[in-house]
Amino acid sequence: MVAHEIIKAKEQGYELVDFFGGEPTTYSFLNKATKLVQDLDMQFGLATNAILFSSKKYTDSFFKNIDIEKIGCLRISMHGIGEIHNRLVQNDTAYDNLIQGMKNILFFTERFSVNIVITSLNYETLSEMVEILHKIGVKAVKFSGINNVGRSRENQWLLINEKKVEKHLIAAIKKSEQFDFKFIEVLNMPNFYLKNKHKFKRLSYDEIS
């Protein structure tokens, strides 16, 4: 079924197949699917919590089977520092695994971004999160407003007023530029972007529906 959809996408002219939703690294078909995408001369995307990448064995095996040039977009989710991240992903070891996973991936490539979804639990620590990413060696970051659909509707307490976020987000973006991040993006916060884009050289914007 997955192979059929990938071939169909190729026939329809698509150039990238994105694996996300749930946790793609747990899919038994992921290796075969990414190989097929590459064999069809397409790129692939991957959104991951990086937990399995904390295993050097898994990371070595993953990158052994792919052409790094075929990675169209690799995104790693970071939801906070320490216990905040663990709480939001409901896994007591998730944060430590996230940090180690990023380090393991960086052994092979810098071609990934870290996506920070801004919540009521982490908005005051955005700059500190950027500092952590810089120390690890990450060069690309995305700051995402919560898309208020699906599970977000069941967790309204995580939503945070954009006015409260603004000064913390500005400070985090400034720090990202100071650290010479190659890519800095804001998602799902059009008002913030329009108001503040002139302040930054590298800031870009995207909207995810």
Side-chain angles (χ1 to χ4, degrees):
M1 180 65 177
V2 174
H4 172 77
E5 292 300 321
I6 292 172
I7 293 170
K8 181 178 177 182
K10 174 66 175 180
E11 293 172 345
Q12 293 178 342
Y14 289 96
E15 298 178 352
L16 182 145
V17 176
D18 201 10
F19 299 98
F20 65 96
E23 174 50 43
T25 58
T26 64
Y27 301 164
S28 59
F29 58 78
L30 183 62
N31 285 347
K32 290 183 178 179
T34 54
K35 184 178 186 307
L36 177 58
V37 169
Q38 294 171 92
D39 289 345
L40 293 173
D41 197 27
M42 304 167 72
Q43 291 188 318
F44 70 90
L46 180 69
T48 177
N49 58 27
I51 287 178
L52 281 179
F53 286 104
S54 66
S55 162
K56 186 176 183 302
K57 181 178 180 181
Y58 177 87
T59 309
D60 290 349
S61 175
F62 179 86
F63 282 98
K64 180 181 178 181
N65 292 308
I66 66 167
D67 176 357
I68 291 175
E69 296 301 317
K70 293 295 185 182
I71 300 176
C73 52
L74 175 57
R75 296 98 68 205
I76 297 173
S77 301
M78 184 178 187
H79 300 291
I81 300 170
E83 291 305 314
I84 292 177
H85 180 85
N86 291 345
R87 177 183 176 184
L88 289 176
V89 301
Q90 299 180 329
N91 182 325
D92 291 340
T93 63
Y95 181 75
D96 289 341
N97 289 333
L98 166 70
I99 299 300
Q100 186 59 54
M102 288 190 285
K103 291 178 180 178
N104 287 345
I105 292 171
L106 279 165
F107 182 81
F108 292 93
T109 181
E110 292 184 352
R111 294 182 59 178
F112 68 88
S113 62
V114 174
N115 183 34
I116 299 173
V117 179
I118 302 172
T119 70
S120 59
L121 293 180
N122 68 21
Y123 76 99
E124 293 181 311
T125 63
L126 296 178
S127 291
E128 189 176 349
M129 293 167 75
V130 168
E131 290 176 0
I132 290 170
L133 295 179
H134 170 64
K135 289 178 182 178
I136 293 171
V138 174
K139 292 295 184 182
V141 64
K142 299 183 180 186
F143 300 98
S144 302
I146 293 180
N147 210 355
N148 195 19
V149 296
R151 291 181 63 186
S152 296
R153 293 184 180 277
E154 302 169 12
N155 297 280
Q156 293 293 301
W157 59 276
L158 287 173
L159 300 178
I160 181 70
N161 187 292
E162 201 168 286
K163 289 183 179 179
K164 287 187 176 181
V165 171
E166 186 169 6
K167 70 176 183 179
H168 300 285
L169 182 52
I170 288 173
I173 296 171
K174 284 182 178 178
K175 186 152 289 187
S176 300
E177 289 198 333
Q178 289 169 2
F179 287 147
D180 199 28
F181 277 33
K182 296 177 181 177
F183 182 80
I184 308 166
E185 186 174 67
V186 170
L187 292 88
N188 296 335
M189 290 183 284
N191 294 333
F192 172 88
Y193 178 73
L194 290 173
K195 182 179 178 181
N196 296 286
K197 63 179 181 178
H198 66 282
K199 301 176 182 178
F200 306 106
K201 295 179 180 179
R202 297 186 180 179
L203 187 64
S204 61
Y205 182 78
D206 195 9
E207 188 79 24
I208 300 177
S209 59

